[in-house]
Amino acid sequence: MTDEYPNISDHGIIGDLQTAALVDVNGTIDWFCCPRFDSPSVFASLLDPERGGHLRVKPAVDDYVTRQLYLPNTAILITRFLTEAGVGEVIDFMPVIEGAATDRHRLARLIRVVRGSMTFEADIQPRFDYGRMPHRTEITDEGAIFVADDLSLTVHRVGDPVMHGDERAGRVEPDGDGVRVTATLNAGEITGMLLESGGAPPRKMAKKRLLSMFLETRRYWRDWNSRSTYTGRWREMVERSAMTLKLMTYAPSGALVAAPTAALPEQVGGERNWDYRYTWIRDASFSVYALLSLGYTEEAEAFVSWLMDRIHESVGDTSGPLKIMYRVDGSSDLVEETLDHLAGYRGSRPVRIGNGAADQLQLDIYGEAMDSIHLADTHGLQLPHVGWTQIREMLDWVCDHWDSPEEGIWETRGGRQNFTYGRFMCWVALDRGIRLAQSRGRPASIDRWTEERDRIYEQVMSKGFDAERQAFVQHQETDVLDASLLLMPLMGFVAPRDPMWLSTLRAMDEELVSDSLVYRYNPSASPDGLRGSEGTFTLCSFFYVDALARSGRLDDAQLTFEKMLTYANHLGLYAEEIGLTGEQLGNFPQAFSHLALINAAVNLDYQLDHGSGYVDPVLKKGRRAG
C-alpha cells in the first residue's frame, strides 16, 4: 500500500496567493484545497490514494524517467518525462490573484512534446470536502464540469492536438466519478487544460490564451523576484525560499500559512499529524525579519497590519489579548476533528483537520508579536495612536500573566509548565514595548514594564538555568534541553559569549545535534502527551547556525548551514522535519523552515563579511544585540 504514496519530498508547489497545489514528480496533483488554503480539499490522494482524489497527467507508458524543476525565478513548475520515443513536459502554474478574496481560481496544465512523440493520459478524479461530499459530472466536447453542493470545478480543454489531418486526440471520456482524456503529440506541439472554480461552463480555450496566462504568470514572478535586495552567498536558495513564502501568503489579508497541507506525519505511521493551514502569531517576528532583510517591505507591512487587526479584535478578551493561531481571514474557528474515512499518509492516523492547539496558552507569542512590531517601526511602519493604545493594554496583560504555567512553543499536550522560552519571550515583549515608548515618546507604564521585565530576567537566570547541567533548560521542573532556547542570543536576552550561554551551546552540541541536524528536545526525557518519536527540526537546525555564528564559531556555522542545504528536496523545498535517513517529514513545504533559512543566510553572510560580533544586519542597533 505504501508504494501508492509518493515521498513527501517528491513535490513542488504552485499557487495563486490564495490557495496552492502540490504536484509530485510523476505529474499528479495530489493536494489542492479550494477556494482558500484552509478550505476543504478537492484533491487529497496524498492522504488516501483511493478516496482522496487527484488530477494526474502522465505518459501512457509505464517506462519513463522524470525530472522536475522550476522555470528560473518563477513559481512555474515543469515536470519532464523522458522515454526512448520522446521527451514531453507538463508545465503547471496558477495565474496570480491579487486583491480581494475570490471563489474563482485557475490551475493551468500546459502539455508539450519537445522531442519525438508521446501520448499523454489525463485522469481527473475530484473528491470534494476531503472526499465526504458527492458530486455530479457533466461532460461536453469542450471539457467537463464537476458540481458539488457548494463548489464546482470546470475543466476547459485547451487547443486541439489534431495535427496534420491526423486524429490523435480522444474525447473527454467518463471514468467513474471523474473523466479521462488521451492526447498524442509530436515535437513542437502543445495542448493542455485549465481547471477553474466558480461554475463557468466548459469551453474550448485557444492555445494562445493559455500561453498568454503563462507569460503573465512568468512576468509576475520575475518582477516580484527582482525586488529582492539579497546579494549574499546563497542567492538561489534564499530566493527560492522567498518565493515559497510568497506562495504561502494569503494576499487578501497578508497572512502567512504555516504550510499548505494537513495531516502529513512527523513520524510515518505515528499520530503527530497536524493541520498547518493557518497563521501562527509566532511566525510574525520571523516573517517580518525575513521579508525586510530581503527588501519586501510591502509584504512585511501587510503581515504587521494583519497582526494589529488581531490585537484590535481581542481587546477586552479575558482569555488573553491574542490566540496563538487564526485562519487566514483572521477568524478563530479552528475546531479539531478527525477524518476517519481517510487512510492517512502511508497509514499515519488520525487524519486531523482544524487544530486543537488554537486555544492553548502560549506566552511566547507576545514576544514574537512585539519583536515584529518593533522591527517594523524601525523601518518606518509606525503605529497609529489606537494601535499603540492596544499595545499598551496587551503589555499590561503580559505584566499580570507572564508567571503563569503554559503549554509552550511546541504545543505539547502533556500539561502546562513554566517554560523557559515563554518566560524569556515575555521579557522580549516588555523590552520591545519599552524601546518603542522611549524612542517615539509614547505614554506607557514604563516603570511597571521595566520592573516586570527585570523580574523575568532574574527568574530565568536563577530558575531556567540548571547548575548541574550548566545549561538553560526547557522548564523549571526539568533538566531537559530545548532547541527553542537557541534564540536567546538572537533576541538579545543573553550575550552570545556569556559563559552560561557557551556551556548551554556545548550541552546542545552533545545531546540535541546530530551532525548538522537538531532535535527540538528529547521527547522520551520530556513527555509531551503524544506517542512515538519524531525527526530533527529544520527550523532548529537553522537557529543553530545563527547561534554558532554569533558565538564566534563561524567555520562550524558555515559548514552546518551548507550541510543543511543538501537536505532540501530537488526543488530547494523543506518540510518541517528531517528523518534519520534524510527524508522529509511533516507538513510540506513548511514556512518556518524557509523563514529560518533566510534569516540564517542573511545573518551568516553578515558575520562572515564583518567577523563574528554583536551587530544585527537588518537593524544595526537596538533590536537583536548579540
Side-chain angles (χ1 to χ4, degrees):
M1 178 179 174
T2 58
D3 292 341
E4 299 180 70
Y5 294 87
N7 294 325
I8 292 173
S9 61
D10 287 347
H11 291 86
I13 179 175
I14 59 173
D16 64 4
L17 310 187
Q18 294 192 26
T19 187
L22 296 190
V23 186
D24 78 5
V25 293
N26 289 305
T28 299
I29 296 175
D30 54 18
W31 181 260
F32 176 59
C33 298
C34 192
R36 303 190 321 196
F37 292 106
D38 54 1
S39 299
S41 65
V42 175
F43 302 128
S45 58
L46 188 57
L47 297 180
D48 191 317
E50 294 184 7
R51 302 178 185 88
H54 61 262
L55 197 172
R56 179 181 298 121
V57 176
K58 70 176 189 65
V61 298
D62 294 329
D63 187 15
Y64 59 83
V65 174
T66 68
R67 296 288 185 269
Q68 203 172 53
L69 69 153
Y70 279 111
L71 189 68
N73 303 316
T74 78
I76 297 172
L77 187 65
I78 303 173
T79 306
R80 308 194 82 205
F81 298 94
L82 299 91
T83 69
E84 291 186 358
V87 175
E89 295 179 341
V90 177
I91 302 173
D92 289 309
F93 62 95
M94 294 182 69
V96 173
I97 299 174
E98 293 189 282
T102 177
D103 290 336
R104 184 168 179 259
H105 299 268
R106 295 172 296 176
L107 194 161
R109 311 206 76 178
L110 193 157
I111 305 167
R112 69 171 187 165
V113 169
V114 297
R115 177 178 63 80
S117 64
M118 186 172 291
T119 299
F120 282 93
E121 293 179 341
D123 179 25
I124 308 169
Q125 297 288 339
R127 298 290 183 269
F128 294 88
D129 189 26
Y130 309 104
R132 297 181 296 190
M133 183 181 294
H135 67 272
R136 72 177 189 273
T137 303
E138 300 172 7
I139 299 174
T140 72
D141 290 340
E142 288 75 29
I145 185 169
F146 308 100
V147 182
D149 284 348
D150 57 357
L151 180 66
S152 62
L153 291 178
T154 303
V155 179
H156 306 291
R157 288 184 58 188
V158 176
D160 192 341
V162 178
M163 307 294 177
H164 316 298
D166 172 16
E167 192 69 42
R168 291 179 281 113
R171 286 179 172 272
V172 178
E173 301 290 346
D175 183 11
D177 292 328
V179 298
R180 183 180 298 272
V181 185
T182 303
T184 301
L185 291 84
N186 292 325
E189 296 176 352
I190 296 174
T191 187
M193 66 179 69
L194 184 73
L195 185 72
E196 183 178 24
S197 64
R203 66 185 185 277
K204 189 173 177 180
M205 179 175 290
K207 286 182 288 185
K208 64 180 181 180
R209 177 58 185 140
L210 185 63
L211 291 172
S212 177
M213 290 183 185
F214 168 82
L215 294 174
E216 290 169 4
T217 305
R218 185 182 68 176
R219 184 181 306 110
Y220 173 86
W221 285 108
R222 289 185 172 171
D223 287 347
W224 186 85
N225 192 59
S226 69
R227 290 169 47 203
S228 173
T229 58
Y230 180 77
T231 57
R233 293 166 176 79
W234 300 286
R235 181 163 184 157
E236 184 176 353
M237 288 298 293
V238 167
E239 290 185 348
R240 179 52 55 193
S241 288
M243 279 189 279
T244 303
L245 294 178
K246 183 69 171 175
L247 282 166
M248 289 189 277
T249 300
Y250 183 66
S253 69
L256 175 75
V257 296
T261 57
L264 291 182
E266 296 174 17
Q267 178 189 28
V268 174
E271 67 170 331
R272 300 168 187 263
N273 318 316
W274 314 111
D275 188 349
Y276 276 10
R277 297 171 298 154
Y278 310 114
T279 300
W280 269 251
I281 294 294
R282 183 173 296 113
D283 294 358
S285 175
F286 302 100
S287 64
V288 171
Y289 184 67
L291 292 166
L292 289 175
S293 70
L294 301 182
Y296 292 113
T297 306
E298 292 179 11
E299 285 78 3
E301 182 177 8
F303 194 101
V304 171
S305 177
W306 179 90
L307 173 60
M308 290 304 303
D309 286 344
R310 305 291 78 73
I311 294 173
H312 172 73
E313 293 166 356
S314 65
V315 170
D317 191 333
T318 57
S319 65
L322 288 172
K323 294 184 178 294
I324 70 167
M325 71 180 88
Y326 299 84
R327 291 187 179 275
V328 291
D329 63 358
S331 61
S332 55
D333 177 19
L334 281 80
V335 175
E336 185 172 297
E337 61 179 304
T338 61
L339 302 179
D340 294 333
H341 65 288
L342 295 182
Y345 179 81
R346 296 186 177 177
S348 303
R349 304 183 74 181
V351 176
R352 293 184 176 94
I353 57 172
N355 199 308
D359 293 323
Q360 288 187 352
L361 176 64
Q362 297 178 20
L363 292 171
D364 66 279
I365 64 174
Y366 298 101
E368 287 131 356
M370 283 305 303
D371 194 49
S372 64
I373 291 168
H374 175 254
L375 179 60
D377 179 86
T378 65
H379 283 73
L381 308 178
Q382 296 184 33
L383 290 172
H385 168 69
V386 172
W388 175 249
T389 299
Q390 293 160 352
I391 291 295
R392 289 168 57 191
E393 293 182 16
M394 183 178 78
L395 292 180
D396 287 341
W397 185 92
V398 171
C399 287
D400 292 334
H401 295 87
W402 67 262
D403 203 18
S404 304
E406 45 144 349
E407 276 88 3
I409 180 176
W410 303 127
E411 299 174 4
T412 59
R413 303 195 178 192
R416 293 183 173 184
Q417 298 289 348
N418 297 306
F419 284 103
T420 304
Y421 182 77
R423 293 292 193 273
F424 105 75
M425 288 303 294
C426 286
W427 177 93
V428 171
L430 294 172
D431 178 74
R432 302 314 190 253
I434 293 166
R435 295 187 192 196
L436 273 173
Q438 292 176 333
S439 65
R440 298 296 181 190
R442 299 288 180 89
S445 306
I446 291 182
D447 289 344
R448 185 188 184 207
W449 294 357
T450 302
E451 180 182 355
E452 296 301 321
R453 181 196 64 180
D454 294 348
R455 285 183 61 204
I456 297 169
Y457 181 88
E458 297 293 352
Q459 185 186 103
V460 171
M461 287 300 182
S462 61
K463 296 183 178 181
F465 187 82
D466 187 280
E468 184 174 343
R469 297 213 65 180
Q470 285 294 294
F472 291 101
V473 292
Q474 186 176 69
H475 59 79
Q476 297 174 12
E477 290 75 33
T478 187
D479 64 355
V480 170
L481 301 177
D482 192 316
S484 66
L485 301 180
L486 288 164
L487 288 178
M488 282 180 143
L490 175 66
M491 290 294 181
F493 184 85
V494 65
R497 300 195 190 186
D498 187 309
M500 295 174 72
W501 174 250
L502 293 178
S503 61
T504 300
L505 193 56
R506 286 193 296 270
M508 290 186 183
D509 287 341
E510 295 173 1
E511 185 170 311
L512 298 183
V513 180
S514 175
D515 194 23
S516 62
L517 305 174
V518 180
Y519 291 93
R520 56 179 179 170
Y521 58 88
N522 182 351
S524 62
S526 178
D528 56 13
L530 297 165
R531 296 186 300 274
S533 60
E534 60 187 17
T536 59
F537 259 58
T538 299
L539 165 73
C540 296
S541 298
F542 287 122
F543 284 171
Y544 181 59
V545 169
D546 188 83
L548 289 173
R550 290 172 186 269
S551 300
R553 295 166 57 181
L554 280 177
D555 287 344
D556 290 344
Q558 184 170 3
L559 180 60
T560 298
F561 183 79
E562 293 186 344
K563 283 183 176 179
M564 277 302 301
L565 298 185
T566 69
Y567 287 101
N569 83 340
H570 57 290
L571 298 168
L573 305 180
Y574 291 89
E576 184 177 26
E577 300 182 19
I578 296 171
L580 294 175
T581 57
E583 70 275 20
Q584 303 273 349
L585 294 171
N587 285 301
F588 180 89
Q590 177 81 3
F592 235 163
S593 298
H594 289 277
L595 289 167
L597 183 154
I598 293 169
N599 293 342
V602 170
N603 291 341
L604 183 55
D605 269 321
Y606 187 89
Q607 303 289 355
L608 289 170
D609 289 340
H610 299 86
S612 60
Y614 307 119
V615 182
D616 188 278
V618 177
L619 180 63
K620 294 186 178 180
K621 61 180 179 180
R623 176 178 182 265
R624 292 186 176 176

